Structure formats: C-alpha cells, structure tokens
C-alpha cells in the first residue's frame, strides 16, 4: 500500500485541467492512508518522521495562508439540516492508523526532499484549476466539503453534456476562514420549538388566512344594511380579502403538503411516474390522474385536492354580499310641513290683507259691508258667500273624488326620491252624520230634538216612492241677500239703524238625505214596480248630518307624489251654530232671511268680528258640501234614472249600479267633506294654511326653511348591501378546519422528518438525487426529448439511507475546521435510490439511533 502511494505521488501532471473546476490544493509530500474499521469508524495519525505542517485552502489566484498547528479531530458529531442530501460523521481520534500525513504550504514545497516527489506540480494560473477526479458529496446542512481521491492525481478532460447526465467529478476551494458549503458539523439535536424558524411560515400563513377571514367578516358587517354606494369597489375589496384568505390557507396547506411528501417517500417506495405526479400534484392538474399516488400517499393527495378546491372559497364568499332593495326609514324632521289654523280667518281684515312673499292671502269667504266709512258707528262687515278660490278647490275635490294635493309637495317636504309621513293636529269643520231611519215604512227619528223637514219620509224612496236619492240641505240656510235694496258691496240703501239680525248666522242647515240601496247588492234586481220582487228588492234609509267643529288627528303619507291621509282621531267638539231651526216660523225682522232658530242667544252676529269670521269660514266650507249633495235622483225606472243633483258628479253615487247610492253613504258624506277641507293644502295662499311648526304664521307659497322643520318619518326604497353572514362562515369554517387539519398533518410530518422543514426546491431535489444511486438508470428517453422510458417510469424509488461500499477510505483533517471529513468508502448519506438500494427510515430517526450507538462504542 505504501509503495503504491509512493508511486502515485511521483507521477507528474500531464497538463492543465480541461474543465474550469474548483480544486482543493494540499501540501506536497503527503502520505495518505485509509483503513476500514469496525462500526464504520476511521482515524488518522501523523508519521513521526515527517514534521507536521498545517494544510491550507487556496483562494483563486491567492497565496495560501497557514491554517494553524496540526491537531487531531475531536469525537464525531452528527450533522443535521433542512437541505436534503448526505449525512456523514467524523471519527474518533482514539482509533489508530498505520500511516500519517504531513501538510506543507505550497510555497514551501521546494524544501521537501526529492525522495518525496520526483517533480513538483506547477502552480495553477489565475482562474485555472487542476481537475482531480474525486467523489464529492455534501452532508445536509454542512458548511464544509468532503471528498477523497480515488487514485493518483492526474489531469482529465471532462464533457459538459456528460456532466448533466451523471454525477460529475469536482473539487472545491474555500478560504481558511470561510467554511465550505457542506459541512459534517452536526448541530445539537435537542431543538426547541422556537428554533423551528423555517416552519413558522406554515403557522403564520395559517394565522394570516384566519385574520383575513375575520377581516372579511368585519368589512361586510359594516356594510350590511348601508346604502349600496360604490358597489363595484366594495365587492372588489371583499374579493381581495377572500383572495388573501385563500392565499394564506393555501400557503399553509402547500407547506404541509411538501412535508407530507417527504414523509411519504421516506417510508414508502413509489414508481418514478408516481413521484412525478406526487411532486407536481399541487400545480399540474394532470398529475392527479395517477392512481398510484392515491394508494401510496392518501393524506398528501387529500391536501393536494384541497389546494385545487380552494378557488371555491373566492367563488362562494363573493356571493355573501348582495345588493337588494330595502325600505329605509329615518325618523327625522322635514321642511315645509303645513297645517290648518282657521283662527287666521277670524283675524283677517280684507281691506288690509295678509301678504306672504308679496302674494295676498286668500279667505274662503267673501264679504259685504254696511258702510264705506269704517269709522261710522253703524259700520260692520257681514258674510256674503264662499270665495271663488275655495269654490274652485272644493269643486276639484268633488269631481276628482279625493283631496287635491299641492303639486311638488312630496319633493318639498320629503325630499327628492323620498316618501314621508307626519301627523298633524288641528281644528276644522266636520259633518257628523247619524242614521235616523231604515226600512220600508220606518219613521224618521229626530236628530238632537231636530225634526226632519215637513213631508220628508221614507215613503219618498223606492220601493214605496220614486226616488233612490233625496237630499234636503237648505233648511234654515243663510240668505246671501240679506237686504232687498242695497248698493254695490251690500251696503243697505236704508239708513241706520239696521236690523239687529242683519248678517247674523242664526243656524247651520242640517243635511237630510234619504236613499235606497239594494237588499242584495250582488244582484241587479227588478228595475220597476211592475216586476216581481220589487217591494223586497230595495231598502230605504235616512241619515241626518250636522256641521260641527272637530279636533282632527291626521297622518299624512306622501308616497310617490300622492297624498294619502289617515284620520286616526276625529273628536267632535261643538256644533258650528248651536241652534235648532224652527220650521214654518218667519222671522219678519226686516231682512230677507226669514230663518228662525232657537235659542236666539246663540246667534252669531257680525259685530263679534273674530268669532263671526271664523264661523263664516266653516259655513262657507259646509255650503259647498250642501251644494253638491242637494237634489234628487228619480229611479222609478231604475235602469234609466232622472238626476237633479250634483251628487252624480261625486263619489257618493255608484254609476255602475244605475247611480244608486253606495251602502256606506253616511261615512262617505263625512269623507267627502274632509276631501274639501284637506284640499285647502293644494293652495298655500289660503289664510288658514299655516306652518305646522309655527301655527301662528301663514305659510304662503314660499319654501320651508329650518324654522319650519317638523317631526316626520322619511322612507324610501333603496339599494342596500345585504350580508349573508351564515353563508360566509360556512365556507370559511370548512376551509379553516381543513387547513387546520393540514397544518396538524404538516407538523406531524416535520416531527417525523426529525424536526426539519423540507422543501421541493431545486437545491433540495439536487441534494437528494446526487450520487451514484440513480446513475445506473437510463434517464434519457427516445430521441433525447426529455421523456422517460416506460421501464424507468415504472421503477420503484424511495428516499432513505444510501450505503455505498468502497475499498479506499480517506480522511482529511483541516485544523481550521477540525470536524471536516470526507468519505469514499462505506459512507452513509440520505438520498433517492431504487428499491433494495435504499434503507428507509421511520419516524424514530435511525441516524440518531446510530449516533447513540456510535457514542456508546
């Protein structure tokens, strides 16, 4: 063995290396020896005849520096790291060897005796290294190279393409103070969880996904029920949070998947095709078609399938924030709400009218006077008739069948595109109606001791009479011509004193209405007396109505530009004129109004101007109702009635039933009267129309301001966000639970992989596949197109300890890095290999067990 070494050392190099490889340069005159020992342990010793010199590492074109005194190696330490590759151990110095070597610096090689070398090796030029055929492998996680020469040093020429298909021979260089990239130094095995820094990415990604899911929920919760403003932007923000959630969970799952891959290949053999599919399962959909990986790597494939299903997180959660129409209700204050106050009529002096924004206020009444000189002691104004403006409003309401609303009131009060409701309280006139007779031959009962007009009975109505409708509304009515001989303006031509009752409201006419309805409203019935069943086909009724002052509570609903009112309370206070008409008694008091009523003390005289004008307003409004309901409908031939009344133009008679009165005529009379009253709002110029917030101020036609704010409830249909919280958390809960299972599986895989977080990066794959274990396969497919032959794809491959026996072992020691070792024979390392060439490890970490065995030995 020594002779062979001496012969080898005296061979001169043939020339410079043909490939630009790195080279570790040792001192000349070196004697090397290796010896196989029990338990795979080797040692080295220095020859006593040779003075030891420290070895050195040569930089590119630099001068080597001494590394320090020669020392023996300490006991072996095991190396452990996250990169997949070789695992090696250093030997104990207690083992003996028959040889020693000394190291000298390259610049001192001329002092070596000729017996050591016949010729000296030339110093390589800059950026040129000698190529020494060596086996080079790096234990995982090591920072120093390990290599040994197979035989004599000689120059060789390498082929770059051949190096791509096989493990090339190589050398390495490093600074004395810079550890090589792979070292046999082993870190302590008692790792703590906080040392798993590389594994934190899995847990942090999982927590990041959960935080994004919670943030997604909070974001949608804040939008729930709010107006759908910037819909596209809000949905985009939600999609970003869903993407972030998915990204965090998928990252954690993919990391766990990679750990499960290495756990699988460490414990099971799979075909090359199955390994291809397994490593590409999360990125290549076609990889999922390999059935073998479902049998051999069930848990890993469950994680891979979940990765492919995670886009459903985004798809399903995007449907949890919708936009739907919803009724928005705001309890607020509205501008420009108007009410009624008939006290303003009592305060108005028509000679000095009230003006709002330059527009004269309107009264519902017009007036006569007794003198041009208002300073005359005999001067006063007295009532003439309703004003034309009010007649217009009342007629419109009668013809339309409902109250007239002011144009634009909804926008002015509620605001654009809003509906609103508000409640008003005011005092206004109201007709109080009572049924005083019902049925054929029934007697009419008195109304508050008021007898019906003479001759008024149910016998006038069908079936006994000819009328289906008979209304008498003028009994005791005020005469618009109080004096026979007057000047324009109603000034009497007679000299004062004037009659005491001139212009006085003596009574307010009672409305007496007799009408007939069908006994069976759904049947047409007989149309004249000659037809059978006539006497039983119709029911006569009589109602009596008085004009009252009433306290109203009314809710106005302005919806879609329409005004809808609901009278929640109508409280009758007093009769407008609290007297009873004395039929047949002429007053003969010097006026054209021969009405006599009792008691006379309750007459309303014009000298009490404020009260008189207010009562006049109620009388004017009532007069319009009496005008429309007064008259008759002759229905002796029901299908061809003879109409002598304005009632046929109102909602009181039903044209679809031959203008017979509607059965609820009593209630319709009251509603018809209120239509006229509420129609005053259609023209804010009326003096009685005031601000609801300030009833003492006439509203006029001006728009409301902050001083006119009045409580109201605004509402409208608008698009709002609708968050389906349950649906979002169903999706996220399932995803988080599955991701949690993946993280737990990944954690267990890390523990099984000796506490290391492994990856599928290029460097890790290269480290795991280097070496001769797989070089004996023909990896080049037909026509060199990158595809593998079928027989290679079907070979079973696993990951584990690859043991390569050899005849020559060399151990080199670096005093700067005493743990650096190199093996050429009997080395132990992790890698991929064929079934039979690889001893797979389980979760018990066999190398640790070997280490403890070596320590005991």
């Amino acid at each position: 063995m020594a002779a062979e070494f001496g012969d080898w050392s005296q061979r001169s190099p043939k020339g410079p290396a043909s490939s630009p490889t790195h080279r570790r340069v040792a001192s000349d005159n070196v004697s090397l020896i290796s010896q196989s020992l029990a338990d795979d342990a080797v040692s080295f010793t220095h020859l006593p005849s040779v003075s030891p010199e420290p070895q050195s590492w040569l930089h590119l074109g630099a001068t080597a520096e001494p590394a320090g005194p020669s020392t023996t190696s300490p006991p072996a330490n095991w190396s452990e790291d996250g990169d997949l590759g070789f695992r090696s151990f250093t030997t104990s110095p207690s083992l003996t060897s028959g040889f020693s070597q000394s190291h000298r610096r390259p610049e001192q090689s001329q002092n070596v005796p000729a017996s050591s070398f016949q010729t000296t090796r030339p110093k390589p030029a800059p950026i040129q290294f000698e190529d020494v055929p060596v086996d080079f492998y790096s234990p995982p996680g090591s920072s120093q190279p390990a290599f040994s020469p197979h035989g004599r040093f000689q120059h060789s020429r390498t082929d770059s393409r051949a190096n791509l298909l096989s493990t090339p021979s190589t050398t390495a260089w490093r600074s004395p103070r810079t550890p090589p990239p792979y070292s046999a130094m082993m870190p302590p095995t008692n790792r703590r969880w906080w040392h798993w820094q590389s594994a934190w990415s899995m847990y942090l990604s999982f927590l990041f996904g959960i935080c994004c899911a919670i943030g997604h929920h909070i974001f949608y919760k804040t939008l729930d029920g709010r107006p759908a403003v910037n819909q596209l932007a809000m949905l985009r923000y939600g999609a970003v949070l869903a993407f972030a959630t998915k990204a965090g969970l998928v990252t954690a799952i993919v990391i766990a998947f990679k750990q499960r891959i290495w756990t699988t290949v460490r414990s099971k053999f799979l075909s090359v095709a199955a390994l291809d599919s397994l490593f590409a399962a999360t990125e290549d959909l076609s990889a999922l078609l390999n059935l073998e990986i479902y049998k051999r790597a069930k848990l890993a494939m469950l994680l891979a399938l979940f990765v492919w299903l995670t886009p459903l997180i985004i798809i399903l959660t995007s449907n949890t924030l919708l936009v739907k129409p919803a009724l928005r209700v705001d309890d607020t204050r509205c501008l420009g709400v108007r009410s009624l106050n008939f006290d303003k009529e009592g305060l108005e002096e028509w000679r000095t009218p009230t003006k709002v924004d330059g527009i004269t206020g309107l009264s519902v009444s017009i007036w006569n006077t007794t003198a041009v000189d208002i300073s005359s002691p005999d001067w006063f104004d007295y009532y003439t008739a309703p004003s034309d403006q009010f007649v217009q409003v009342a007629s419109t309401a009668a013809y339309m069948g409902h109250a007239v609303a002011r144009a634009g009131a909804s926008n002015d009060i509620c605001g654009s595109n809003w509906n609103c409701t508000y409640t008003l309280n005011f005092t206004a006139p109201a007709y109080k109606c009572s049924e005083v007779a019902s049925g054929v031959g029934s007697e009419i009962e008195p109304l508050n001791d008021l007898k019906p007009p003479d001759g008024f009975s149910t016998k006038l109505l069908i079936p006994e009479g000819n009328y289906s409708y008979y209304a008498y509304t003028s009994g005791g009515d005020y005469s618009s011509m109080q004096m026979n001989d007057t000047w324009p303006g109603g000034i009497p031509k007679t000299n004062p004193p004037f009659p005491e009752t001139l212009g006085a409201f003596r009574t307010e006419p009672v409305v007496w209405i007799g009408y007939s309805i069908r006994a069976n409203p759904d049947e047409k019935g007989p149309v004249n007396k000659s037809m059978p069943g006539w006497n039983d086909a119709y029911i006569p009724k009589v109602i009596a109505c008085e004009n009252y002052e009433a306290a109203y509570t009314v809710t106005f609903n302005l919806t879609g530009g329409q005004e809808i009112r609901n009278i929640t309370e109508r409280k009758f206070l007093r009769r407008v004129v609290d007297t009873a008409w004395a039929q047949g008694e002429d007053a003969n008091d010097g006026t054209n109004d021969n009405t006599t009523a009792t008691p006379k003390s309750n007459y309303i005289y014009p000298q009490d101007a404020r009260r008189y004008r207010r009562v006049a307003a109620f009388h004017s409004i009532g007069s319009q109702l009496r005008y429309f309901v007064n008259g008759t409908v002759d229905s002796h031939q029901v299908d061809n009635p003879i109409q002598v009344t304005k009632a046929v133009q109102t909602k009181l008679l039903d044209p679809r039933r031959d203008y017979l009165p509607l059965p609820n005529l009593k209630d319709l009379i009251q509603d018809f009267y209120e239509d006229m009253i509420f129609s005053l709002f259609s023209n804010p110029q009326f003096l009685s129309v005031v601000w609801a917030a300030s009833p003492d101020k006439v509203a006029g036609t001006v728009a409301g301001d902050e001083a006119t704010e009045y409580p109201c409830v605004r509402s409208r249909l608008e698009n709002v966000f609708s968050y389906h919280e349950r649906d979002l958390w169903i999706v996220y809960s399932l995803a988080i639970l599955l991701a949690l299972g993946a993280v737990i599986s990944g954690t267990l895989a890390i523990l099984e992989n000796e506490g290391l977080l492994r990856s599928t990066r290029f460097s890790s794959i290269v480290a795991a596949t280097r070496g001769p274990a797989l070089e004996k396969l023909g990896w080049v497919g037909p026509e060199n197109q990158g595809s593998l032959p079928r027989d290679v794809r079907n070979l079973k491959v696993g990951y584990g300890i690859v043991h390569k026996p050899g005849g020559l072992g060399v151990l080199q020691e670096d005093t700067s890095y005493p743990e650096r070792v190199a093996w050429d024979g009997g080395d132990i390392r992790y890698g991929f290999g064929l079934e039979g060439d690889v001893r797979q490890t389980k979760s018990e970490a066999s190398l640790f067990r070997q280490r403890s065995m070596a320590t005991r030995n």
Side-chain angles (χ1 to χ4, degrees):
M1 183 72 77
E4 181 181 354
F5 237 87
D7 184 53
W8 168 43
S9 64
Q10 294 178 5
R11 293 186 181 184
S12 60
K14 295 180 181 180
S18 61
S19 61
T21 59
H22 292 210
R23 176 192 176 204
R24 181 180 180 185
V25 180
S27 301
D28 295 332
N29 301 329
V30 177
S31 297
L32 305 174
I33 189 168
S34 65
Q35 180 177 357
S36 298
L37 301 176
D39 297 330
D40 293 334
V42 299
S43 65
F44 63 90
T45 181
H46 294 284
L47 291 175
S49 61
V50 183
S51 60
E53 288 289 335
Q55 67 179 8
S56 63
W57 294 93
L58 182 61
H59 274 291
L60 185 66
T63 304
E65 297 178 2
S70 176
T71 59
T72 59
S73 299
N77 292 321
W78 291 90
S79 173
E80 178 180 351
D81 193 74
D83 279 334
L84 300 171
F86 309 112
R87 295 188 177 270
S88 63
F89 56 90
T90 60
T91 59
S92 172
S94 60
L95 300 177
T96 60
S97 173
F99 297 90
S100 66
Q101 64 175 3
S102 64
H103 305 279
R104 301 179 62 87
R105 296 180 182 178
E107 63 268 25
Q108 298 174 347
S109 61
Q110 65 272 17
N111 298 325
V112 179
S115 60
S116 300
F117 286 89
Q118 293 180 357
T119 60
T120 60
R121 197 176 322 136
K123 183 176 182 179
I127 321 183
Q128 181 177 3
F129 303 91
E130 294 180 316
D131 189 13
V132 180
V134 296
D135 273 345
F136 178 63
Y137 68 93
S138 303
S142 67
S143 60
Q144 300 174 346
F147 64 93
S148 63
H150 282 291
R152 299 167 180 168
F153 290 102
Q154 58 183 355
H155 298 289
S156 63
R157 189 177 302 274
T158 62
D159 182 84
S160 60
R161 176 166 176 172
N163 285 334
L164 293 176
L165 300 178
S166 63
T167 303
S169 297
T170 182
T171 60
W173 57 270
R174 278 292 182 269
S175 166
R177 296 303 171 192
T178 304
Y182 300 99
S183 173
M185 300 173 61
M186 299 291 289
T189 58
N190 55 341
R191 286 178 176 265
R192 297 292 185 266
W193 66 268
W194 54 82
H195 294 158
W196 294 6
Q197 297 182 8
S198 56
W200 289 351
S201 58
M202 178 172 65
Y203 307 113
L204 293 178
S205 298
F206 177 68
L207 293 177
F208 173 76
I210 294 178
C211 292
C212 289
I214 296 174
H216 197 179
H217 161 71
I218 295 174
F219 176 63
Y220 277 1
K221 195 69 175 179
T222 59
L223 294 178
D224 189 27
R226 295 177 57 185
V229 181
N230 296 329
Q231 300 179 24
L232 187 59
M234 298 301 104
L235 294 176
R236 284 175 177 172
Y237 296 152
V240 168
L241 291 172
F243 270 107
T245 303
K246 180 248 184 187
L249 298 180
V250 167
T251 301
I253 296 169
V254 169
I255 295 174
F257 170 76
K258 292 178 180 179
Q259 309 316 303
R260 184 51 55 184
I261 286 179
W262 290 108
T263 302
T264 300
V265 299
R266 284 183 53 163
S267 59
K268 298 178 182 179
F269 287 96
L270 290 84
S271 67
V272 174
L275 284 176
D276 285 345
S277 298
L278 183 60
F279 276 81
T282 58
E283 55 194 38
D284 185 359
L285 188 61
S286 63
L288 302 180
L289 302 179
N290 191 309
L291 299 181
E292 181 183 348
I293 54 178
Y294 294 98
K295 299 177 181 178
R296 308 290 290 173
K298 297 181 179 64
L299 187 54
M301 289 312 299
L302 285 177
L303 301 181
L305 290 175
F306 181 58
V307 170
W308 284 102
L309 293 176
T310 49
L312 292 176
I313 296 176
I314 302 172
I315 296 173
L316 297 178
T317 56
S318 63
N319 198 38
T320 58
L321 184 67
L322 305 177
V323 176
K324 69 176 184 180
L327 180 64
R328 176 181 174 181
V329 179
D330 293 341
D331 192 357
T332 181
R333 302 178 73 87
C334 297
L335 302 177
V337 178
R338 291 170 168 85
S339 184
L340 294 177
N341 184 3
F342 287 97
D343 289 341
K344 304 303 291 184
E345 288 279 352
L347 298 174
E348 182 66 10
E349 169 57 60
W350 59 269
R351 292 175 181 84
T352 57
T354 300
K355 291 188 177 182
V356 179
D357 197 27
I359 300 177
T360 302
L362 301 176
S363 175
V364 297
S365 305
I366 56 177
W367 306 92
N368 283 334
T369 185
T370 59
V372 176
D373 184 7
I374 62 175
S375 62
S376 171
D378 298 314
W379 166 83
F380 59 88
D381 293 333
Y382 60 95
Y383 176 80
T384 300
S387 65
D388 292 338
Q389 292 86 352
F390 176 69
V391 170
Q392 178 187 9
V393 169
S395 299
T396 303
Y399 296 141
M400 293 183 64
H402 58 79
V404 182
R406 179 171 60 90
S410 181
N411 286 341
D412 294 345
I413 298 174
C414 307
S416 180
N417 299 323
W418 284 91
N419 303 320
C420 63
T421 59
Y422 52 89
T423 301
L424 298 178
N425 296 280
F426 54 85
T427 300
Y431 263 103
K432 182 179 181 181
C433 298
S434 302
E435 185 176 278
V436 294
S438 178
V440 176
S442 61
E443 296 292 332
I444 300 176
E445 299 175 359
L447 177 66
N448 298 326
D449 297 332
L450 296 175
K451 296 181 180 180
D454 293 339
F456 192 88
S457 68
T458 58
K459 293 181 179 180
L460 297 173
L461 306 173
I462 58 174
E464 293 182 276
N466 295 328
Y467 298 100
S468 62
Y469 179 84
Y470 194 104
Y472 181 78
T473 64
S474 58
D477 198 1
Y478 180 89
S479 176
S480 59
M481 293 294 294
Q482 289 287 302
M483 300 292 290
N484 286 328
D485 195 5
T486 60
W487 298 102
I491 300 174
K493 291 183 177 181
T494 62
N495 294 325
F498 303 119
E500 179 185 4
T501 56
L502 175 62
F505 287 109
R506 308 176 190 195
T507 189
E508 188 70 6
V510 176
V511 175
W512 297 89
I513 301 176
Y515 62 100
S516 295
I517 60 174
R518 285 195 175 102
N520 190 347
D522 298 330
E523 295 181 2
K524 186 173 180 61
V527 296
N528 54 49
K529 294 182 180 180
S530 62
M531 297 182 67
W534 169 264
N535 293 330
D536 299 326
Y538 301 94
I539 301 173
K541 291 179 178 291
V542 177
I543 60 174
C545 303
E546 290 184 284
N547 200 6
Y548 270 74
E549 289 185 37
Y552 285 91
T553 300
V554 185
T555 299
F556 288 82
N557 188 342
L558 303 181
T559 302
Q562 300 294 321
E563 182 181 283
I564 303 172
R565 71 184 188 278
N566 179 29
I567 300 175
T568 58
E569 184 179 6
R570 185 193 299 109
K571 184 179 181 182
F572 296 101
L573 301 176
R574 65 190 66 88
R575 292 189 289 185
V576 172
V577 180
D578 191 13
T579 59
W581 174 46
Q583 298 184 50
E585 296 183 15
D586 293 336
N588 295 323
D589 53 7
T591 66
N592 283 339
D593 191 344
N594 286 326
T595 300
T596 301
T598 57
K600 291 183 179 181
S601 59
N602 288 344
Y603 285 8
I604 310 298
Y605 294 97
Q607 287 77 12
D608 187 0
R610 183 169 182 176
R611 182 186 180 195
Y612 181 82
R613 289 170 181 167
R614 186 170 183 273
V615 171
F618 295 162
H619 178 81
S620 293
I621 299 172
S623 68
Q624 287 302 295
L625 178 134
R626 294 190 294 271
Y627 168 76
F628 276 98
V629 302
N630 191 52
T632 62
V633 176
D634 188 340
S635 296
H636 69 278
Q637 184 68 32
V638 174
D639 57 355
N640 188 21
I642 301 173
Q643 306 154 3
V644 188
T645 178
K646 292 291 184 179
V648 295
Q649 298 174 296
T650 69
K651 61 182 181 182
L652 304 178
L653 306 182
D654 188 0
R656 292 172 297 181
R657 291 182 173 86
D658 300 319
Y659 288 97
L660 291 174
L662 291 169
N664 59 336
L665 183 62
K666 179 172 72 72
D667 297 330
L668 287 176
I669 292 293
Q670 294 175 339
D671 189 61
F672 180 57
Y673 193 37
E674 289 159 359
D675 286 345
M676 294 181 179
I677 297 171
F678 298 143
S679 294
L680 291 170
F681 290 113
S682 66
N683 189 350
Q685 285 184 253
F686 284 110
L687 297 171
S688 54
V689 179
V690 297
W691 296 117
S694 302
D696 58 334
K697 294 182 180 180
V698 177
T701 58
V702 298
D705 55 16
E706 293 181 357
T708 65
E709 288 185 346
Y710 188 78
C712 71
V713 177
R714 297 201 308 171
S715 62
R716 69 176 177 184
L717 282 175
E718 63 181 10
N719 290 333
V720 298
F721 289 114
S722 176
Y723 171 38
H724 293 208
E725 180 178 352
R726 174 178 171 271
D727 295 344
L728 182 131
W729 278 116
I730 287 177
V731 176
Y732 277 154
S733 297
L734 292 175
I736 291 173
L737 286 176
L738 291 175
L740 177 62
V743 169
I744 294 174
S745 174
T747 302
L748 295 177
I750 293 174
L751 295 176
E752 293 177 12
N753 292 331
E754 302 171 4
L756 300 178
L757 185 74
R758 303 182 183 275
S759 68
T760 56
R761 296 177 181 176
F762 171 76
S763 58
S764 299
I765 299 299
V766 170
T769 55
R770 297 179 65 221
L774 300 177
E775 291 179 357
K776 53 188 176 182
L777 302 178
W779 293 100
V780 180
E783 301 180 2
N784 196 21
Q785 294 181 352
S787 61
L788 295 177
R790 182 181 299 274
D791 56 343
V792 175
R793 292 174 58 86
N794 293 331
L795 290 176
K796 297 292 184 179
V797 176
Y799 181 79
I801 295 177
V802 180
H803 183 79
K804 177 185 176 183
L808 176 63
V810 176
L811 174 65
Q812 293 179 337
E813 177 186 4
D814 187 348
T815 58
S816 299
Y817 303 99
E819 293 83 0
R820 181 183 292 120
V821 294
W823 291 88
D824 186 40
D827 60 329
I828 297 177
R829 60 182 179 181
Y830 274 125
F832 279 99
L834 297 177
E835 187 174 10
D837 294 343
V838 173
R839 180 164 61 89
Q840 291 187 329
T841 60
K842 305 301 179 182
S843 59
E844 298 176 350
S846 60
L847 279 181
F848 291 127
R849 197 183 311 116
Q850 291 179 11
R851 176 176 178 269
S852 51
M853 292 173 59
T855 303
R856 290 195 301 270
N857 295 335

